[in-house]
Amino acid sequence: MYVFETSLEPKTSLLGDARLQRLVFRLPNEVMATVRRDRRRLLKNVETEEVTSPPWDAQGGVCFSYSGKTGISTPVFVDRRDAPLGNRGLQRMRAGCPVRLTVRQVRHMKPRAGTRLQVLKVQVLHLDAPHQGGLASPHSIQTVNLQLPLDLMQDVERLARHEDWSNQAWLRNAIETQVRLTRTRLGLDESAA
């Protein structure tokens, strides 16, 4: 399994009424080395000389296609906070859109031996999925009932994204920071004295 950040290429096609959907992206260099090594490992016991070409081009470009009608091999699409994206969210995806992909490489034997890359999950890093309670994601920091100043909330959210904290970790850090600032302001913090 490979998890990496990349961006969608111009030939990506996610039209809701198309029979064949297409995700086009590039593998980062560090992922390419691992993917090549895994391909050699997956094909090392293949007895036939007829092996398909790798599912990527010389620059690491990959075109992953799946059925838009049957749902076969359809990846899971989520927003930046891991909430599911609906069709309206998919329509907002464009070329150059930053994404975090979860991909696996699997071996196939027919008609010729080879491997293929399957995209399991697409996390769109600049979208928030709407939910019934409003515009923000259900996992949004905006739903936290803490009396924190807006700038502190934004700092905590930025750090959570940058350092990939879990919800509990950034919430705990937000509370500890607020308590520390309040104790310092009230003169209750011994270390400030």
Side-chain angles (χ1 to χ4, degrees), residues 15-161:
L15 302 174
D17 56 350
R19 289 184 62 92
L20 193 64
Q21 309 288 342
R22 188 172 55 232
L23 283 170
V24 183
F25 57 91
R26 293 205 181 284
L27 296 169
N29 291 335
E30 61 274 7
V31 176
M32 276 296 296
T34 306
V35 170
R36 283 185 178 126
R37 184 180 66 241
D38 290 347
R39 178 177 164 85
R40 285 191 299 270
R41 182 181 51 79
L42 286 168
L43 297 176
K44 75 177 180 181
N45 293 331
V46 174
E47 297 173 7
T48 179
E49 292 296 320
E50 289 190 36
V51 176
T52 60
S53 59
W56 58 83
D57 63 21
Q59 291 79 34
V62 176
C63 179
F64 174 72
S65 299
Y66 60 94
S67 171
K69 297 291 183 189
T70 64
I72 295 173
S73 297
T74 302
V76 174
F77 288 90
V78 297
D79 72 358
R80 67 187 179 111
R81 293 186 175 109
D82 245 5
L85 272 180
N87 288 335
R88 288 178 54 210
L90 290 179
Q91 292 171 359
R92 294 170 52 198
M93 293 175 63
R94 302 283 184 264
C97 176
V99 292
R100 178 178 296 133
L101 300 178
T102 303
V103 178
R104 72 176 173 179
Q105 185 170 195
V106 293
R107 183 173 73 172
H108 62 81
M109 298 303 289
K110 296 179 181 179
R112 294 185 307 182
T115 62
R116 65 184 176 89
L117 293 175
Q118 182 180 11
V119 178
L120 302 175
K121 180 178 172 184
V122 179
Q123 184 176 17
V124 186
L125 299 177
H126 76 289
L127 287 181
D128 281 334
H131 71 98
Q132 293 148 356
L135 294 176
S137 161
H139 304 293
S140 172
I141 197 166
Q142 298 165 13
T143 62
V144 176
N145 292 324
L146 289 176
Q147 297 301 317
L148 297 176
L150 180 60
D151 59 340
L152 179 60
M153 293 281 276
Q154 291 169 342
D155 284 345
V156 169
E157 187 171 19
R158 188 179 68 252
L159 285 170
R161 280 195 316 264

